[in-house]
Amino acid sequence: MYLYHFFDKSTGPFQNISDLSVDDAKAVLNGIKQTKPNSQCAQRHDKYVEYRRNCENIIRSEFIKKGGKISRTVPHYMVVEFSPWLSTWYENSDYIKIPVEEFDMNTLSFTYGDSMPTFSPTINDGREYRHQLYTYKEILKIIDKYGLPQDWNDDGKYGPERYIEVHVWSDETVGRYRHCTV
């Protein structure tokens, strides 16, 4: 299994707006809206930063309950396997893929789909993976049961899950790839 991180070549990989203050994060998003209006990131709503921070608080809390090892306040984001949809998010898109074995599994959490709709109070379709955070061993069982979302829902026709999101709660492995592209 490979974990993928998609990014804009002009900014480089593993640039996380959650590492910034709320005001600085909003300024970055506004800059993207002005300079790269065709990118998916430019389509984010005005409360995105607040919603994202709330979601990160939830997934951090849930991961701690599961005994996860956290050395970052906010995670780095990756996905399980290649996502055709995510590859179109940036005007100058690139990605890094890293074998999952290079990570300490105790620093990885997963949601079946993007964490924001997964933990959204407005999505209540009864699917077992809603409002759930998984460890590596747990997500393997969910993948066995449902497959990869990008294989059956890359266009989003059947719900918000288009990929499996990975939350990397450490800089250790990511740090080795910060200046690389594949």
Side-chain angles (χ1 to χ4, degrees), residues 104-128:
D104 174 349
M105 298 304 167
N106 295 314
T107 66
L108 302 178
S109 63
F110 301 80
T111 49
Y112 194 82
D114 188 278
S115 57
M116 289 181 66
T118 294
F119 284 98
S120 171
T122 63
I123 299 175
N124 297 304
D125 57 14
R127 294 181 181 175
E128 75 171 289

Side-chain angles (χ1 to χ4, degrees), residues 1-5 78-83 96-103 105 108-112 134-145 147-151 163-168 173 177:
M1 174 188 298
Y2 285 94
L3 305 186
Y4 283 73
H5 174 73
M78 300 186 80
V79 297
V80 173
E81 299 301 343
F82 185 81
S83 168
I96 291 174
K97 74 178 193 178
I98 306 173
V100 71
E101 296 82 12
E102 289 193 31
F103 293 90
M105 298 304 167
L108 302 178
S109 63
F110 301 80
T111 49
Y112 194 82
Y134 299 103
T135 64
Y136 178 68
K137 287 181 182 179
E138 292 169 335
I139 199 64
L140 292 177
K141 292 176 186 173
I142 296 296
I143 293 169
D144 283 345
K145 190 171 186 178
L148 296 174
Q150 58 265 47
D151 292 342
Y163 50 82
I164 296 170
E165 189 175 84
V166 185
H167 321 107
V168 182
T173 301
Y177 288 86

